[in-house]
Amino acid sequence: RSSDLSLQEKDSVYLIINRIHGLLQEITKNEIEIGFYLNNLKTSALWKGYNGHTRWHEFTQDSLNLGRTTTYYYQELAKAFWDYYEWNQSLFADINYTRLTEMLPIFKKLDSPEEKESLLADAANLPHTGWKDALRVRRGKVPQDECDHQQKERWDRCKGCGKWFREKHESKEPKAQ
């Protein structure tokens, strides 16, 4: 299919892809920086009394149009990543914002800076399947390419509403009375 495109069309696609990459990089940067500023506002208590607010979540909702969950998410990103972001912004330029979300719980549990830097490097450099497998390994699971797929679950889908149900396996042993 790619060979069917003219040189001009390929250049257009290339430019659009690069622009999208740039916008995605800005999302990562913006989410971490928003969290940084939210944390500063909260810890300094500068927000108190601003437009009569006495509760943090009311302030963020009314003044910034951010819900509780979104505010908490941004703050957690900054708490976890700010020190690394501050000294290596170019690394974060290569980390998609969805990867930040995926690695946040793992990153927060890591103690050594070397482990954290390794996870950040994986997030910046691994292709999609490699990244997913790296997360599985860090969660104590088997990567997909090394799994023998013997532990399967059966799922059924309701044709009426589309909801998925896990099939329950009944024990074949008679129940004790």
Side-chain angles (χ1 to χ4, degrees), residues 41-59:
L41 272 175
K42 187 171 184 183
T43 57
S44 69
L46 288 173
W47 63 272
K48 287 187 178 179
Y50 181 82
N51 287 341
H53 291 292
T54 58
R55 294 193 174 148
W56 174 245
H57 72 275
E58 290 173 356
F59 165 75

Side-chain angles (χ1 to χ4, degrees), residues 92-103:
F92 281 84
D94 294 328
I95 299 175
N96 186 292
Y97 70 99
T98 56
R99 290 190 180 193
L100 284 181
T101 303
E102 292 170 336
M103 75 171 147

Side-chain angles (χ1 to χ4, degrees), residues 8-21:
Q8 184 178 3
E9 290 171 324
K10 286 180 182 178
D11 285 345
S12 292
V13 171
Y14 177 77
L15 290 172
I16 291 169
I17 288 171
N18 280 338
R19 181 65 181 138
I20 291 170
H21 280 295

